[in-house]
Amino acid sequence: MPDVKPAMRVIYIPILLLFAAFLFLPLGILFVRSFETADGINLSNYLTVLSNAELMMSFGNSVKISGLTAVITTVLAFFLAYSIHCTRLYRPLKSVIKTGILIPMLLPTITFGFAIIYSFGNQGIITKIFGRNLFDIYGFNGLLISYVIYTLPSAFLLINNSFKYMDKKFIIVSKLMGDGTIRSFMNTIIRPLSGTLGGAFVLSFILSFTDFGIPASVGGTYSVVATQLYQVMLGSIPDFNNGAVIAILMLIPVVFSVFLLNYLEKLNFQYDKFSDIELTKHIGRDICFGGISLLVLIGMFSVFAVMFIAPFLTSFPYDLSFTIKHFIDTFQSSDLTAVYKNSLFVALMTAVMGTFIAFSSAVLNVRTPLKGKSSMDVISMLTNTVPGMVLGLSYLLLFNGSSWKGTFAIIILCNIVHFFTTPYLMAKNSLSKMNPGWETTGNLLGDSWIRTIYRVILPNSASTVIEMFSYYFINSMVTISGIIFLVTAQTTLVASKIKELQHFAKFNEIFILSLLIFFTNLVVKLLCDHYQKRQFKH
């Protein structure tokens, strides 16, 4: 590892200042604001909020539905990952499961609710097929289905990744030693995965608890904390102080979840080596897991199918004749095309700048001897903990009276900070596996530290950098929680425009904009995957 170079400090100090200004300072202002009253600093805001029965019920509702979502999501994600790694399913079917389950990640969460309304509502496609309402979709039922669809891809990615590092040899050994099916399953599958399963539960809980898009579309009269915060801040009389209190209280279950996550990491197994062996055939097992996986995918696709059908019909569900009029009208609307261009600009700038900041932070932490470099890990943990709505609100309070208010710069910075954790960890894991002597060799050959990073480290990290770019871009296109308090008439994005169109019941426009986001994200994802495969070939 090289000595500390001036170039390292030149990169480290601006990154530290960036997070000081756009993470620590806004959260500090939010915390102070929660204690501010007309009579000075005291606890009366907290007492007001805690004595509000409706608000406390919303907190209870959020915890209840997020907990149930997390249980269902973790079980389903486990079934899907098990089907891929521990069965002899037809290989193309495994590919369909792996790809299909990620589709919800390419759509804004606010669309999920509208898709469910058009599928299970009084005039929905699935309601028509069955000839009656299967259940009431507004409120608890609609939220639960939407939350499960929303959190399932993230939980699956987590569990699926851990399965790759499991030694399947122990499953064979357990059988040879005469263990029963349940005992073998618990010892060789569940126990090694217990930390990851706990992590998937916590991740699903946090995502559901802090999401605003889904309750905004299908919440009905079932009040959750995210909609309460929105109403307090953007209602007829905004209450910044009480909004700050609700935002601070939203952090409590999330912080508790993070501590639980750190504890669960101790349960993870470390294998000396893994042997990826083919398991024996078991028709009953394969049919069971394959059937459940297909049912989950079909159920998910049946909800989203309406989104690809309704915009092409004259007036769903009354006039089912084919038309492209809705698309022509939408694309001729300068307002909607401007909004789409805004979203593309924000996503592209977030992806480029965010990838640079996250990669630079990881390089400083893993590949330099800088003092205080572990502060990057602290920042990463904090950005992982703070919900998008809370971060967005803290920006609103900090920049409310300044010229920064309502600018694209604030939205882009909010996205960079909000989604920092995952790209940073991707880069950190990749860089820590590389030869630690490359910088020293470069130094001996007369190359500067920056030149070695550019010529050696970066090319060897190209695949990870592409993945980081893809992650930032896709999440910036679909997020609504982080930006709902920050957009203005000039900086409206597609996800916030969908929220606006909801008030006018313009569902065709909502689905067309959702399809625009979906296909934009799909193209970016396919391009990034293509370039990643090319990197592996080199």
Side-chain angles (χ1 to χ4, degrees):
M1 191 157 291
D3 298 327
V4 176
K5 308 284 184 193
M8 295 174 188
R9 290 200 182 92
V10 166
I11 298 170
Y12 176 67
I13 292 166
I15 289 175
L16 215 55
L17 290 173
L18 178 90
F19 283 105
F22 296 101
L23 178 64
F24 294 103
L25 181 60
L27 291 177
I29 297 288
L30 179 76
F31 186 71
V32 171
R33 199 65 187 266
S34 70
F35 292 98
E36 273 183 14
T37 66
D39 304 320
I41 302 288
N42 57 53
L43 291 170
S44 62
N45 293 332
Y46 281 87
L47 296 174
T48 303
V49 168
L50 292 171
S51 60
N52 185 321
E54 190 187 350
L55 265 171
M56 288 301 101
M57 187 182 75
S58 299
F59 267 99
N61 287 348
S62 284
V63 170
K64 185 167 73 176
I65 197 160
S66 301
L68 185 58
T69 298
V71 170
I72 295 168
T73 299
T74 306
V75 170
L76 291 178
F78 173 78
F79 265 94
L80 291 162
Y82 187 93
S83 301
I84 289 166
H85 293 277
C86 296
T87 68
R88 294 281 290 272
L89 282 180
Y90 188 45
R91 279 195 184 279
L93 179 57
K94 289 186 178 183
S95 298
V96 167
I97 294 168
K98 269 197 280 194
T99 309
I101 199 64
L102 302 180
I103 283 174
M105 295 181 92
L106 307 180
L107 285 161
T109 56
I110 196 164
T111 305
F112 294 16
F114 300 127
I116 281 176
I117 292 166
Y118 261 55
S119 298
F120 295 101
N122 293 334
Q123 302 294 331
I125 287 181
I126 294 170
T127 304
K128 294 273 186 191
I129 292 168
F130 283 91
R132 65 184 182 86
N133 267 49
L134 297 179
F135 50 82
D136 182 18
I137 47 110
Y138 288 102
F140 187 87
N141 295 331
L143 284 172
L144 185 63
I145 294 169
S146 302
Y147 281 150
V148 169
I149 293 171
Y150 166 48
T151 58
L152 191 54
S154 302
F156 167 77
L157 284 173
L158 200 63
I159 298 170
N160 185 54
N161 188 57
S162 287
F163 258 114
K164 291 176 189 172
Y165 299 102
M166 256 182 60
D167 195 340
K168 294 177 190 168
K169 182 174 76 232
F170 287 96
I171 301 171
I172 310 290
V173 171
S174 175
K175 290 284 183 192
L176 292 172
M177 289 178 70
D179 286 346
T181 304
I182 293 174
R183 182 181 168 86
S184 175
F185 180 72
M186 293 303 292
N187 286 340
T188 61
I189 304 286
I190 298 296
R191 273 193 66 204
L193 283 176
S194 54
T196 303
L197 292 172
F201 175 90
V202 169
L203 180 66
S204 304
F205 180 90
I206 291 173
L207 288 173
S208 309
F209 186 82
T210 59
D211 180 66
F212 168 71
I214 290 167
S217 55
V218 81
T221 55
Y222 192 84
S223 177
V224 291
V225 69
T227 45
Q228 285 289 333
L229 178 58
Y230 179 78
Q231 283 159 14
V232 166
M233 290 307 302
L234 296 179
S236 51
I237 308 169
D239 188 336
F240 286 156
N241 295 345
N242 281 353
V245 173
I246 297 168
I248 295 293
L249 293 176
M250 274 180 85
L251 291 172
I252 295 170
V254 181
V255 170
F256 175 74
S257 299
V258 170
F259 281 121
L260 181 62
L261 207 56
N262 287 340
Y263 170 74
L264 290 168
E265 270 186 19
K266 296 173 188 171
L267 301 176
N268 284 333
F269 273 45
Q270 290 289 321
Y271 294 105
D272 293 330
K273 57 181 180 181
F274 346 103
S275 45
D276 191 20
I277 55 171
E278 193 72 55
L279 295 172
T280 52
K281 276 194 175 181
H282 191 301
I283 292 171
R285 174 200 66 198
D286 294 355
I287 289 173
C288 172
F289 279 91
I292 289 169
S293 299
L294 277 177
L295 276 174
V296 170
L297 285 185
I298 291 165
M300 199 171 74
F301 291 144
S302 67
V303 168
F304 289 120
V306 68
M307 200 176 78
F308 294 86
I309 299 167
F312 293 99
L313 304 176
T314 302
S315 178
F316 180 86
Y318 310 107
D319 183 351
L320 303 183
S321 55
F322 177 82
T323 182
I324 56 166
K325 181 179 180 297
H326 303 305
F327 281 87
I328 293 167
D329 291 347
T330 301
F331 290 119
Q332 280 179 346
S333 161
S334 59
D335 179 31
L336 293 182
T337 41
V339 168
Y340 176 64
K341 285 176 187 171
N342 287 351
S343 276
L344 272 181
F345 172 72
V346 167
L348 197 59
M349 293 304 291
T350 301
V352 171
M353 292 165 63
T355 302
F356 175 77
I357 291 164
F359 187 78
S360 301
S361 302
V363 167
L364 291 168
N365 191 351
V366 179
R367 314 284 307 186
T368 71
L370 270 175
K371 283 181 181 173
K373 62 182 183 175
S374 58
S375 57
M376 296 303 169
D377 286 334
V378 176
I379 289 166
S380 148
M381 194 168 171
L382 194 56
T383 52
N384 198 29
T385 310
V386 180
M389 273 190 99
V390 173
L391 191 65
L393 176 57
S394 68
Y395 277 37
L396 176 68
L397 296 176
L398 178 61
F399 299 107
N400 200 21
S402 74
S403 57
W404 281 67
K405 186 189 175 186
T407 60
F408 283 121
I410 283 298
I411 296 170
I412 292 163
L413 283 161
C414 184
N415 282 342
I416 289 170
V417 174
H418 182 199
F419 300 119
F420 174 77
T421 307
T422 302
Y424 167 75
L425 291 177
M426 284 177 189
K428 189 181 167 189
N429 292 338
S430 168
L431 291 165
S432 60
K433 292 186 177 84
M434 290 179 193
N435 187 328
W438 280 345
E439 288 91 340
T440 308
T441 307
N443 198 22
L444 292 171
L445 291 171
D447 277 354
S448 66
W449 176 73
I450 288 277
R451 194 170 168 81
T452 305
I453 296 295
Y454 179 70
R455 288 180 57 187
V456 182
I457 305 293
L458 193 57
N460 280 281
S461 314
S463 174
T464 303
V465 169
I466 292 165
E467 199 177 346
M468 291 162 71
F469 178 92
S470 166
Y471 181 89
Y472 258 127
F473 185 95
I474 288 168
N475 278 284
S476 300
M477 283 296 285
V478 301
T479 187
I480 183 166
S481 301
I483 54 101
I484 194 65
F485 295 129
L486 303 176
V487 291
T488 61
Q490 287 72 42
T491 57
T492 303
L493 306 181
V494 175
S496 57
K497 186 69 179 177
I498 289 172
K499 173 84 182 88
E500 189 186 311
L501 290 169
Q502 175 193 4
H503 295 298
F504 305 104
K506 293 186 175 179
F507 288 103
N508 283 319
E509 283 94 330
I510 284 172
F511 287 141
I512 289 166
L513 287 178
S514 301
L515 287 175
L516 258 180
I517 289 182
F518 174 76
F519 285 113
T520 304
N521 281 340
L522 188 63
V523 167
V524 169
K525 183 90 177 77
L526 291 173
L527 279 172
C528 288
D529 288 352
H530 169 70
Y531 282 112
Q532 269 186 296
K533 281 174 187 164
R534 276 182 56 179
Q535 289 300 324
F536 280 123
K537 281 177 186 171
H538 292 317

